[in-house]
Amino acid sequence: MDQAQILAPPAAERPKASKGFIRKHLREYGILFALIVIMAFFQIATGGILLRPVNLTNLVLQNSYIVIMAIGMLLVIVSGHIDLSVGSVLGFIGALAAVMIVHWNMHYVLVAILCLGMGALIGAVQGFWVAYYKIPSFIVTLAGMLVFKGLTLWLLAGQSIGPFPQDFRLIASGFVPDIFGMEGFNLLSLVAGLTVSAVLLGFAVHNRRRQAKSGLVDEPLAFFIGKYALIIFALIGGSYLLATFRGLPNVLIIMALLIAIYSFIANRTTIGRRIYAVGGNEKAAKLSGIRSERLVFLTFANMGMLAALAGLVFAARLNTATPKAGLAFELDVIAAVFIGGASMSGGVGTIIGAVVGAFIMGVMNNGMSILGVGIDWQQVIKGLVLLAAVVFDIYNKNKG
Amino acid sequence: MDNILEMRGITKEFPGVKALDNVNMTVRRGEIRALVGENGAGKSTLMKVLSGVYPHGSYDGEIIYEGRPMAFRTIADSEREGIIIIHQELALVPGLSIAENIFLGNEIARRGIIDWRETHQRTAALLEKVGLRENPETRVDELGLGKQQLVEIAKALSKEVKLLILDEPTSSLNEKDSDALLELLHDFRAQGISAILISHKLNEVSKVADSITVLRDGATVSHKDCAGGSYSEADIIRDMVGRSLSNRYPPRHPKIGETVMEVRNWTVRHPTHSERLAVDNVSFHVRRGEVLGIAGLMGAGRTELAMSLFGGSYGTVVGGEVLLHGKPVDVSSIPKAIKAGLAYVTEDRKGCGLVLGDTIRRNVPLANLEAIAVNTVIDSSREAGVAVDYRGMLNIKCASIEQETVNLSGGNQQKVVLAKWLFSDPEILILDEPTRGIDVGAKFEIYVIIDKLAAQGKSVIVISSEMPELLGITDRLYVMNEGRFVGEMPTPEATQEKIMSMIINSGE
């Protein structure tokens, strides 16, 4: 069969379909478009520094912990709640890891496992109050934020603890070794970029073909091609740039895996579907036999675990645990999720959206720092971008 | 005697429905006028027109009050003229004191500073007028419902009321409180305050009212004095329900089998007022292929019965058991109830039935996600297939299954909720007000679906406040009132008059 024929919706429906489609998906394309515009702006304004291989690597490293937490936060917010404690938990786990590794000389793998468990436990305890006792999550996690900020100070006795052993630091600052061993160019990175692109494209075409079979294609072909051309261009371009520096950061692999796994959970599994239903209409979900309490509990436990992972990455990156670690990170994470199109009332939002939201924040941080914009104005601008994104959302919703 | 109020030719339309059609009503000065009619007859709409909830201009017709034409735009406008409405759901703020509630929005204050002494003195005087012996500083949520009702009335008196409208004031009161309240209306009449009393309880209407207006399907049917029993209850009931039924329901040819579910001595406590029984010792059974109706007025406890059976989703079940095919089953949680073969289609499809922001495709399989998933991974083409199938089967009118359910009409939303529960493949379906707020055409389609389900051997329990509907589609009926089953009959032997009098007699 002719490829174009499979991909295209019936000709008669085309103009109407694409118009309706744009309106329905304005937000998704809008945010991708916003990221591109912001990147282009800073690329020009910084005279090309933004996309230099070394800066691109930095951008990934600097944002990794926000991205990791945004993935967990997306699920929490979709379920209709919020977690304000993630910054403090990140700091606390970093401190805990430092005490165990530096003071007690424990092996870092064991420490990492214990810390992830501890994070999950912290999330579970908070989730317990939220889910089973119906204490508003805002209150529970506000309490958690204070508690773990305090415990961090106590653990560290107000001091910084470091440095970490070299092996531990590799999670945040290491790079995947190049198996090809080419001089000055990390071929593995480019190969990985190409492979991921090919796999993504394969999935996309497969899905579209299946949709076409059941007559459910509503994304116009031009959009489909345009979107994937852009994604593949970004993937290959990005991996090429990274290849000319030091290759793939370890933490990028972690992030990519998390994004893939959690997108799959959110989109394709019954548990993901149920979380969206609980956030969309808890009463209806409950009456449909969904155990909403358990799901809310799990999203919080999961958030705690991801905050712990982010804590390890952050501590490893700084090579020290400081009492100030994680300060106000929850705000960046929550902002990323809302910029990414999630709804405050729950039931709406995507993992990819949250990740793109995190990168929008990250690119702005990075770009403004390069330009020498002070921390004062950085905050002002980030705040306005958050407001603009949500205003756009609500306006769009009311109109549609 | 002159008239305090004349409403002439009131017509109010909502999209697709004529809620009021050329209604006339006059109230004489110093009389108690009862307004009766079935649920949906237009009583509340008429009172909302009168009190300015529906502003002047959104309806046709005119309101002459105290001899002058009125054009109320808000409730505040009508209150200024002395027309005060007390709604069925009390509008008190639970956390505030009696005094604070009475003067809420109308505080006795100088330059924004409240004069508490004067407030409390005036409150005490008002409370005495309504016969409520409570400290003005008592919090409202510490009072029982009867006393809260009196606080509402005291609040009305604080605004120099001339025409007091009471919407089902005694529906949640016990007999003693009801009598005290009705007695109070007589006192007010002596002081020259007119009243409009909306009530389902015809015995109390006959007792207290001077005259009665009957509404049916948005039109005035009759208008009579009732002093000394000159307008008998039987006549009132006939006027309330007397409409012809023809071809609004598909014909039933029931094939009824063995008993599928039996409920014995089911008793449920109210979730917040634990001294009240929402369902009181109810026993019933339903058979294979049967369409069973539960009749009753709003607040009779039918939804409470259904939801408590469906996984204890209402109140606290304190007694009774459920048997399926003669064996006791555990329905103590919703997943267990679903697994046992029950489905409950809610009366509140927007609030409890649909995830409105989600598409039809995502709503339909929600109660049975396992059936479209392999090892918890959802098979999206099977999911789409299911949605497409039900769209066809139930004739859901939509642009595509990717349409968000919030954008569907009421009838189509109801079909999506039905589809969700049909996909969970239940043996017993409980449909709570399945046709509320949907148009006549869609109603008929829902009736046909119910008929088909019964023909497939399912047991269908229909809860409805529309008696003609129950008479049209069911095989057997139970009548429920105040938490109890007060009657049972095969539908062919039932009439609306019979049901109504069962309800009314049970209250005595």
PDB file of all heavy atoms in Angstrom, chain A residues 24 210 216 264 268-270 273-274 281 283-284 286-289, chain B residues 310 334-335 350-352 354 370 376-378 380 383-384 420-421:
ATOM      1  N   LYS A  24      -7.467  21.990  19.251  1.00  0.00           N
ATOM      2  CA  LYS A  24      -7.458  21.013  20.333  1.00  0.00           C
ATOM      3  C   LYS A  24      -6.062  20.831  20.900  1.00  0.00           C
ATOM      4  O   LYS A  24      -5.898  20.592  22.091  1.00  0.00           O
ATOM      5  CB  LYS A  24      -7.996  19.679  19.801  1.00  0.00           C
ATOM      6  CG  LYS A  24      -8.900  18.957  20.787  1.00  0.00           C
ATOM      7  CD  LYS A  24      -9.706  17.878  20.103  1.00  0.00           C
ATOM      8  CE  LYS A  24      -9.188  16.496  20.396  1.00  0.00           C
ATOM      9  NZ  LYS A  24      -9.836  15.453  19.596  1.00  0.00           N
ATOM     10  N   ARG A 210      -1.887   2.062  12.694  1.00  0.00           N
ATOM     11  CA  ARG A 210      -2.939   1.371  13.435  1.00  0.00           C
ATOM     12  C   ARG A 210      -4.161   2.252  13.624  1.00  0.00           C
ATOM     13  O   ARG A 210      -5.288   1.798  13.501  1.00  0.00           O
ATOM     14  CB  ARG A 210      -2.407   0.925  14.801  1.00  0.00           C
ATOM     15  CG  ARG A 210      -2.428  -0.563  14.872  1.00  0.00           C
ATOM     16  CD  ARG A 210      -2.113  -1.202  16.149  1.00  0.00           C
ATOM     17  NE  ARG A 210      -2.112  -0.408  17.340  1.00  0.00           N
ATOM     18  CZ  ARG A 210      -1.662  -0.880  18.489  1.00  0.00           C
ATOM     19  NH1 ARG A 210      -1.179  -2.096  18.545  1.00  0.00           N
ATOM     20  NH2 ARG A 210      -1.688  -0.151  19.569  1.00  0.00           N
ATOM     21  N   LEU A 216      -9.082   6.485  13.062  1.00  0.00           N
ATOM     22  CA  LEU A 216      -9.018   7.428  14.167  1.00  0.00           C
ATOM     23  C   LEU A 216      -7.908   8.454  14.027  1.00  0.00           C
ATOM     24  O   LEU A 216      -7.545   9.126  14.975  1.00  0.00           O
ATOM     25  CB  LEU A 216      -8.793   6.668  15.483  1.00  0.00           C
ATOM     26  CG  LEU A 216     -10.010   5.866  15.944  1.00  0.00           C
ATOM     27  CD1 LEU A 216      -9.645   4.979  17.081  1.00  0.00           C
ATOM     28  CD2 LEU A 216     -11.132   6.813  16.327  1.00  0.00           C
ATOM     29  N   PHE A 264       5.317   5.806  29.333  1.00  0.00           N
ATOM     30  CA  PHE A 264       4.621   4.548  29.068  1.00  0.00           C
ATOM     31  C   PHE A 264       3.584   4.280  30.151  1.00  0.00           C
ATOM     32  O   PHE A 264       2.422   3.964  29.873  1.00  0.00           O
ATOM     33  CB  PHE A 264       5.632   3.404  28.995  1.00  0.00           C
ATOM     34  CG  PHE A 264       5.008   2.081  28.659  1.00  0.00           C
ATOM     35  CD1 PHE A 264       4.676   1.768  27.358  1.00  0.00           C
ATOM     36  CD2 PHE A 264       4.742   1.155  29.663  1.00  0.00           C
ATOM     37  CE1 PHE A 264       4.088   0.559  27.048  1.00  0.00           C
ATOM     38  CE2 PHE A 264       4.149  -0.063  29.360  1.00  0.00           C
ATOM     39  CZ  PHE A 264       3.822  -0.365  28.046  1.00  0.00           C
ATOM     40  N   ARG A 268      -0.067   4.307  28.748  1.00  0.00           N
ATOM     41  CA  ARG A 268      -0.465   3.009  28.234  1.00  0.00           C
ATOM     42  C   ARG A 268      -0.912   2.002  29.283  1.00  0.00           C
ATOM     43  O   ARG A 268      -1.401   0.946  28.936  1.00  0.00           O
ATOM     44  CB  ARG A 268       0.698   2.406  27.415  1.00  0.00           C
ATOM     45  CG  ARG A 268       1.041   3.176  26.150  1.00  0.00           C
ATOM     46  CD  ARG A 268      -0.039   3.043  25.086  1.00  0.00           C
ATOM     47  NE  ARG A 268      -0.386   1.661  24.824  1.00  0.00           N
ATOM     48  CZ  ARG A 268       0.300   0.869  24.020  1.00  0.00           C
ATOM     49  NH1 ARG A 268       1.348   1.302  23.389  1.00  0.00           N
ATOM     50  NH2 ARG A 268      -0.088  -0.375  23.819  1.00  0.00           N
ATOM     51  N   THR A 269      -0.711   2.291  30.560  1.00  0.00           N
ATOM     52  CA  THR A 269      -1.068   1.269  31.543  1.00  0.00           C
ATOM     53  C   THR A 269      -2.350   1.631  32.275  1.00  0.00           C
ATOM     54  O   THR A 269      -2.768   2.789  32.308  1.00  0.00           O
ATOM     55  CB  THR A 269       0.053   1.090  32.594  1.00  0.00           C
ATOM     56  OG1 THR A 269       0.143   2.295  33.351  1.00  0.00           O
ATOM     57  CG2 THR A 269       1.374   0.785  31.948  1.00  0.00           C
ATOM     58  N   THR A 270      -2.948   0.614  32.858  1.00  0.00           N
ATOM     59  CA  THR A 270      -4.197   0.852  33.586  1.00  0.00           C
ATOM     60  C   THR A 270      -3.955   1.764  34.785  1.00  0.00           C
ATOM     61  O   THR A 270      -4.787   2.603  35.108  1.00  0.00           O
ATOM     62  CB  THR A 270      -4.802  -0.469  34.083  1.00  0.00           C
ATOM     63  OG1 THR A 270      -3.824  -1.165  34.834  1.00  0.00           O
ATOM     64  CG2 THR A 270      -5.254  -1.332  32.932  1.00  0.00           C
ATOM     65  N   ARG A 273      -3.846   5.316  33.562  1.00  0.00           N
ATOM     66  CA  ARG A 273      -5.185   5.756  33.185  1.00  0.00           C
ATOM     67  C   ARG A 273      -6.014   6.081  34.422  1.00  0.00           C
ATOM     68  O   ARG A 273      -6.768   7.040  34.477  1.00  0.00           O
ATOM     69  CB  ARG A 273      -5.847   4.648  32.365  1.00  0.00           C
ATOM     70  CG  ARG A 273      -7.267   4.944  31.956  1.00  0.00           C
ATOM     71  CD  ARG A 273      -7.325   6.141  31.041  1.00  0.00           C
ATOM     72  NE  ARG A 273      -6.525   5.945  29.864  1.00  0.00           N
ATOM     73  CZ  ARG A 273      -6.930   5.283  28.790  1.00  0.00           C
ATOM     74  NH1 ARG A 273      -8.133   4.778  28.755  1.00  0.00           N
ATOM     75  NH2 ARG A 273      -6.148   5.150  27.756  1.00  0.00           N
ATOM     76  N   ARG A 274      -5.836   5.262  35.442  1.00  0.00           N
ATOM     77  CA  ARG A 274      -6.631   5.462  36.659  1.00  0.00           C
ATOM     78  C   ARG A 274      -6.203   6.731  37.389  1.00  0.00           C
ATOM     79  O   ARG A 274      -7.039   7.416  37.979  1.00  0.00           O
ATOM     80  CB  ARG A 274      -6.493   4.253  37.573  1.00  0.00           C
ATOM     81  CG  ARG A 274      -7.277   3.080  37.031  1.00  0.00           C
ATOM     82  CD  ARG A 274      -7.128   1.842  37.866  1.00  0.00           C
ATOM     83  NE  ARG A 274      -8.000   0.815  37.301  1.00  0.00           N
ATOM     84  CZ  ARG A 274      -7.707  -0.466  37.269  1.00  0.00           C
ATOM     85  NH1 ARG A 274      -6.564  -0.892  37.777  1.00  0.00           N
ATOM     86  NH2 ARG A 274      -8.542  -1.321  36.742  1.00  0.00           N
ATOM     87  N   ASN A 281     -11.987  13.287  37.878  1.00  0.00           N
ATOM     88  CA  ASN A 281     -13.241  13.287  38.637  1.00  0.00           C
ATOM     89  C   ASN A 281     -13.163  12.150  39.645  1.00  0.00           C
ATOM     90  O   ASN A 281     -13.443  10.998  39.329  1.00  0.00           O
ATOM     91  CB  ASN A 281     -14.446  13.108  37.711  1.00  0.00           C
ATOM     92  CG  ASN A 281     -15.755  13.228  38.464  1.00  0.00           C
ATOM     93  OD1 ASN A 281     -15.788  13.160  39.695  1.00  0.00           O
ATOM     94  ND2 ASN A 281     -16.835  13.406  37.739  1.00  0.00           N
ATOM     95  N   LYS A 283     -14.928  11.337  42.239  1.00  0.00           N
ATOM     96  CA  LYS A 283     -16.161  10.611  42.563  1.00  0.00           C
ATOM     97  C   LYS A 283     -16.484   9.590  41.489  1.00  0.00           C
ATOM     98  O   LYS A 283     -16.831   8.450  41.794  1.00  0.00           O
ATOM     99  CB  LYS A 283     -17.322  11.597  42.686  1.00  0.00           C
ATOM    100  CG  LYS A 283     -17.355  12.340  44.000  1.00  0.00           C
ATOM    101  CD  LYS A 283     -18.647  13.148  44.061  1.00  0.00           C
ATOM    102  CE  LYS A 283     -18.582  14.228  45.107  1.00  0.00           C
ATOM    103  NZ  LYS A 283     -19.613  15.242  44.834  1.00  0.00           N
ATOM    104  N   ALA A 284     -16.383  10.033  40.224  1.00  0.00           N
ATOM    105  CA  ALA A 284     -16.694   9.119  39.134  1.00  0.00           C
ATOM    106  C   ALA A 284     -15.714   7.953  39.129  1.00  0.00           C
ATOM    107  O   ALA A 284     -16.092   6.807  38.896  1.00  0.00           O
ATOM    108  CB  ALA A 284     -16.659   9.852  37.800  1.00  0.00           C
ATOM    109  N   LYS A 286     -14.066   6.701  41.682  1.00  0.00           N
ATOM    110  CA  LYS A 286     -14.364   5.801  42.801  1.00  0.00           C
ATOM    111  C   LYS A 286     -15.560   4.922  42.487  1.00  0.00           C
ATOM    112  O   LYS A 286     -15.534   3.724  42.724  1.00  0.00           O
ATOM    113  CB  LYS A 286     -14.683   6.630  44.047  1.00  0.00           C
ATOM    114  CG  LYS A 286     -13.491   6.889  44.910  1.00  0.00           C
ATOM    115  CD  LYS A 286     -13.973   7.461  46.221  1.00  0.00           C
ATOM    116  CE  LYS A 286     -12.937   7.232  47.284  1.00  0.00           C
ATOM    117  NZ  LYS A 286     -13.206   8.094  48.445  1.00  0.00           N
ATOM    118  N   LEU A 287     -16.613   5.566  41.952  1.00  0.00           N
ATOM    119  CA  LEU A 287     -17.819   4.794  41.632  1.00  0.00           C
ATOM    120  C   LEU A 287     -17.559   3.806  40.494  1.00  0.00           C
ATOM    121  O   LEU A 287     -18.353   2.916  40.265  1.00  0.00           O
ATOM    122  CB  LEU A 287     -18.970   5.728  41.257  1.00  0.00           C
ATOM    123  CG  LEU A 287     -19.703   6.355  42.444  1.00  0.00           C
ATOM    124  CD1 LEU A 287     -20.762   7.327  41.956  1.00  0.00           C
ATOM    125  CD2 LEU A 287     -20.349   5.292  43.326  1.00  0.00           C
ATOM    126  N   SER A 288     -16.450   3.986  39.772  1.00  0.00           N
ATOM    127  CA  SER A 288     -16.099   3.018  38.737  1.00  0.00           C
ATOM    128  C   SER A 288     -15.230   1.910  39.306  1.00  0.00           C
ATOM    129  O   SER A 288     -14.640   1.139  38.559  1.00  0.00           O
ATOM    130  CB  SER A 288     -15.368   3.699  37.581  1.00  0.00           C
ATOM    131  OG  SER A 288     -16.175   4.695  37.020  1.00  0.00           O
ATOM    132  N   GLY A 289     -15.118   1.873  40.622  1.00  0.00           N
ATOM    133  CA  GLY A 289     -14.371   0.789  41.244  1.00  0.00           C
ATOM    134  C   GLY A 289     -12.882   1.030  41.345  1.00  0.00           C
ATOM    135  O   GLY A 289     -12.122   0.093  41.588  1.00  0.00           O
TER     136      GLY A 289
ATOM    137  N   PHE B 310     -24.280  -0.413  46.602  1.00  0.00           N
ATOM    138  CA  PHE B 310     -23.152  -0.437  45.678  1.00  0.00           C
ATOM    139  C   PHE B 310     -21.862  -0.099  46.433  1.00  0.00           C
ATOM    140  O   PHE B 310     -21.362   1.018  46.401  1.00  0.00           O
ATOM    141  CB  PHE B 310     -23.404   0.557  44.544  1.00  0.00           C
ATOM    142  CG  PHE B 310     -22.412   0.440  43.428  1.00  0.00           C
ATOM    143  CD1 PHE B 310     -22.329  -0.711  42.673  1.00  0.00           C
ATOM    144  CD2 PHE B 310     -21.561   1.485  43.136  1.00  0.00           C
ATOM    145  CE1 PHE B 310     -21.420  -0.816  41.648  1.00  0.00           C
ATOM    146  CE2 PHE B 310     -20.645   1.390  42.101  1.00  0.00           C
ATOM    147  CZ  PHE B 310     -20.576   0.232  41.357  1.00  0.00           C
ATOM    148  N   ILE B 334     -16.658  -0.927  46.550  1.00  0.00           N
ATOM    149  CA  ILE B 334     -17.142  -0.813  45.175  1.00  0.00           C
ATOM    150  C   ILE B 334     -16.534  -1.878  44.262  1.00  0.00           C
ATOM    151  O   ILE B 334     -17.262  -2.517  43.509  1.00  0.00           O
ATOM    152  CB  ILE B 334     -16.929   0.621  44.650  1.00  0.00           C
ATOM    153  CG1 ILE B 334     -17.804   1.579  45.472  1.00  0.00           C
ATOM    154  CG2 ILE B 334     -17.284   0.733  43.184  1.00  0.00           C
ATOM    155  CD1 ILE B 334     -17.536   3.034  45.224  1.00  0.00           C
ATOM    156  N   PRO B 335     -15.200  -2.093  44.339  1.00  0.00           N
ATOM    157  CA  PRO B 335     -14.673  -3.174  43.498  1.00  0.00           C
ATOM    158  C   PRO B 335     -15.353  -4.523  43.754  1.00  0.00           C
ATOM    159  O   PRO B 335     -15.615  -5.275  42.822  1.00  0.00           O
ATOM    160  CB  PRO B 335     -13.188  -3.218  43.881  1.00  0.00           C
ATOM    161  CG  PRO B 335     -12.887  -1.852  44.363  1.00  0.00           C
ATOM    162  CD  PRO B 335     -14.136  -1.375  45.039  1.00  0.00           C
ATOM    163  N   LYS B 350     -22.784  14.235  35.636  1.00  0.00           N
ATOM    164  CA  LYS B 350     -21.629  15.130  35.495  1.00  0.00           C
ATOM    165  C   LYS B 350     -20.731  15.053  36.724  1.00  0.00           C
ATOM    166  O   LYS B 350     -19.515  15.060  36.627  1.00  0.00           O
ATOM    167  CB  LYS B 350     -22.094  16.568  35.297  1.00  0.00           C
ATOM    168  CG  LYS B 350     -22.658  16.781  33.922  1.00  0.00           C
ATOM    169  CD  LYS B 350     -22.947  18.242  33.673  1.00  0.00           C
ATOM    170  CE  LYS B 350     -23.499  18.416  32.272  1.00  0.00           C
ATOM    171  NZ  LYS B 350     -23.998  19.752  32.038  1.00  0.00           N
ATOM    172  N   GLY B 351     -21.336  15.010  37.892  1.00  0.00           N
ATOM    173  CA  GLY B 351     -20.544  15.018  39.115  1.00  0.00           C
ATOM    174  C   GLY B 351     -19.942  13.678  39.452  1.00  0.00           C
ATOM    175  O   GLY B 351     -18.820  13.613  39.955  1.00  0.00           O
ATOM    176  N   CYS B 352     -20.670  12.601  39.202  1.00  0.00           N
ATOM    177  CA  CYS B 352     -20.205  11.288  39.653  1.00  0.00           C
ATOM    178  C   CYS B 352     -20.106  10.256  38.540  1.00  0.00           C
ATOM    179  O   CYS B 352     -19.692   9.129  38.792  1.00  0.00           O
ATOM    180  CB  CYS B 352     -21.129  10.731  40.735  1.00  0.00           C
ATOM    181  SG  CYS B 352     -21.344  11.805  42.133  1.00  0.00           S
ATOM    182  N   LEU B 354     -19.096  10.856  34.867  1.00  0.00           N
ATOM    183  CA  LEU B 354     -18.121  10.992  33.785  1.00  0.00           C
ATOM    184  C   LEU B 354     -16.876  11.730  34.258  1.00  0.00           C
ATOM    185  O   LEU B 354     -16.946  12.557  35.155  1.00  0.00           O
ATOM    186  CB  LEU B 354     -18.735  11.813  32.639  1.00  0.00           C
ATOM    187  CG  LEU B 354     -19.904  11.189  31.896  1.00  0.00           C
ATOM    188  CD1 LEU B 354     -20.547  12.225  30.997  1.00  0.00           C
ATOM    189  CD2 LEU B 354     -19.431  10.006  31.083  1.00  0.00           C
ATOM    190  N   GLU B 370      -9.374  -3.721  32.961  1.00  0.00           N
ATOM    191  CA  GLU B 370      -8.670  -4.996  32.784  1.00  0.00           C
ATOM    192  C   GLU B 370      -9.047  -5.630  31.438  1.00  0.00           C
ATOM    193  O   GLU B 370      -8.227  -6.293  30.813  1.00  0.00           O
ATOM    194  CB  GLU B 370      -9.019  -5.975  33.904  1.00  0.00           C
ATOM    195  CG  GLU B 370      -8.384  -5.656  35.242  1.00  0.00           C
ATOM    196  CD  GLU B 370      -9.111  -4.543  35.971  1.00  0.00           C
ATOM    197  OE1 GLU B 370     -10.245  -4.194  35.548  1.00  0.00           O
ATOM    198  OE2 GLU B 370      -8.546  -4.013  36.950  1.00  0.00           O
ATOM    199  N   THR B 376      -1.788  -5.273  32.463  1.00  0.00           N
ATOM    200  CA  THR B 376      -1.930  -3.858  32.833  1.00  0.00           C
ATOM    201  C   THR B 376      -1.508  -2.866  31.737  1.00  0.00           C
ATOM    202  O   THR B 376      -1.530  -1.674  31.955  1.00  0.00           O
ATOM    203  CB  THR B 376      -1.194  -3.472  34.138  1.00  0.00           C
ATOM    204  OG1 THR B 376       0.178  -3.294  33.847  1.00  0.00           O
ATOM    205  CG2 THR B 376      -1.384  -4.493  35.235  1.00  0.00           C
ATOM    206  N   VAL B 377      -1.134  -3.369  30.570  1.00  0.00           N
ATOM    207  CA  VAL B 377      -0.826  -2.438  29.473  1.00  0.00           C
ATOM    208  C   VAL B 377      -2.060  -2.331  28.584  1.00  0.00           C
ATOM    209  O   VAL B 377      -2.563  -3.336  28.082  1.00  0.00           O
ATOM    210  CB  VAL B 377       0.369  -2.925  28.644  1.00  0.00           C
ATOM    211  CG1 VAL B 377       0.607  -1.982  27.477  1.00  0.00           C
ATOM    212  CG2 VAL B 377       1.599  -3.014  29.518  1.00  0.00           C
ATOM    213  N   ILE B 378      -2.533  -1.094  28.424  1.00  0.00           N
ATOM    214  CA  ILE B 378      -3.775  -0.906  27.681  1.00  0.00           C
ATOM    215  C   ILE B 378      -3.554  -1.097  26.191  1.00  0.00           C
ATOM    216  O   ILE B 378      -2.615  -0.555  25.622  1.00  0.00           O
ATOM    217  CB  ILE B 378      -4.345   0.503  27.962  1.00  0.00           C
ATOM    218  CG1 ILE B 378      -4.818   0.571  29.421  1.00  0.00           C
ATOM    219  CG2 ILE B 378      -5.481   0.833  27.014  1.00  0.00           C
ATOM    220  CD1 ILE B 378      -5.251   1.932  29.857  1.00  0.00           C
ATOM    221  N   SER B 380      -4.559  -0.039  22.946  1.00  0.00           N
ATOM    222  CA  SER B 380      -5.339   1.133  22.535  1.00  0.00           C
ATOM    223  C   SER B 380      -6.278   0.830  21.390  1.00  0.00           C
ATOM    224  O   SER B 380      -7.330   1.446  21.269  1.00  0.00           O
ATOM    225  CB  SER B 380      -4.420   2.306  22.201  1.00  0.00           C
ATOM    226  OG  SER B 380      -3.423   1.883  21.335  1.00  0.00           O
ATOM    227  N   GLU B 383      -9.262  -0.691  22.923  1.00  0.00           N
ATOM    228  CA  GLU B 383      -9.998   0.359  23.612  1.00  0.00           C
ATOM    229  C   GLU B 383     -10.864   1.163  22.631  1.00  0.00           C
ATOM    230  O   GLU B 383     -12.051   1.372  22.850  1.00  0.00           O
ATOM    231  CB  GLU B 383      -9.007   1.300  24.300  1.00  0.00           C
ATOM    232  CG  GLU B 383      -9.661   2.483  24.960  1.00  0.00           C
ATOM    233  CD  GLU B 383      -8.633   3.391  25.609  1.00  0.00           C
ATOM    234  OE1 GLU B 383      -7.551   3.590  25.033  1.00  0.00           O
ATOM    235  OE2 GLU B 383      -8.926   3.896  26.698  1.00  0.00           O
ATOM    236  N   ALA B 384     -10.229   1.549  21.518  1.00  0.00           N
ATOM    237  CA  ALA B 384     -10.977   2.318  20.520  1.00  0.00           C
ATOM    238  C   ALA B 384     -12.118   1.476  19.970  1.00  0.00           C
ATOM    239  O   ALA B 384     -13.226   1.973  19.762  1.00  0.00           O
ATOM    240  CB  ALA B 384     -10.038   2.759  19.410  1.00  0.00           C
ATOM    241  N   LYS B 420     -20.368   2.726  29.848  1.00  0.00           N
ATOM    242  CA  LYS B 420     -19.317   2.354  30.800  1.00  0.00           C
ATOM    243  C   LYS B 420     -19.773   1.169  31.631  1.00  0.00           C
ATOM    244  O   LYS B 420     -19.021   0.218  31.834  1.00  0.00           O
ATOM    245  CB  LYS B 420     -18.991   3.558  31.695  1.00  0.00           C
ATOM    246  CG  LYS B 420     -17.994   3.220  32.786  1.00  0.00           C
ATOM    247  CD  LYS B 420     -17.534   4.443  33.523  1.00  0.00           C
ATOM    248  CE  LYS B 420     -18.492   4.845  34.612  1.00  0.00           C
ATOM    249  NZ  LYS B 420     -17.974   5.959  35.428  1.00  0.00           N
ATOM    250  N   TRP B 421     -21.011   1.251  32.090  1.00  0.00           N
ATOM    251  CA  TRP B 421     -21.483   0.174  32.971  1.00  0.00           C
ATOM    252  C   TRP B 421     -21.855  -1.074  32.212  1.00  0.00           C
ATOM    253  O   TRP B 421     -21.701  -2.178  32.719  1.00  0.00           O
ATOM    254  CB  TRP B 421     -22.611   0.684  33.861  1.00  0.00           C
ATOM    255  CG  TRP B 421     -22.017   1.582  34.887  1.00  0.00           C
ATOM    256  CD1 TRP B 421     -22.150   2.926  34.988  1.00  0.00           C
ATOM    257  CD2 TRP B 421     -21.107   1.201  35.920  1.00  0.00           C
ATOM    258  NE1 TRP B 421     -21.382   3.396  36.017  1.00  0.00           N
ATOM    259  CE2 TRP B 421     -20.738   2.362  36.610  1.00  0.00           C
ATOM    260  CE3 TRP B 421     -20.557  -0.017  36.325  1.00  0.00           C
ATOM    261  CZ2 TRP B 421     -19.845   2.353  37.687  1.00  0.00           C
ATOM    262  CZ3 TRP B 421     -19.676  -0.036  37.395  1.00  0.00           C
ATOM    263  CH2 TRP B 421     -19.333   1.145  38.061  1.00  0.00           C
TER     264      TRP B 421
END
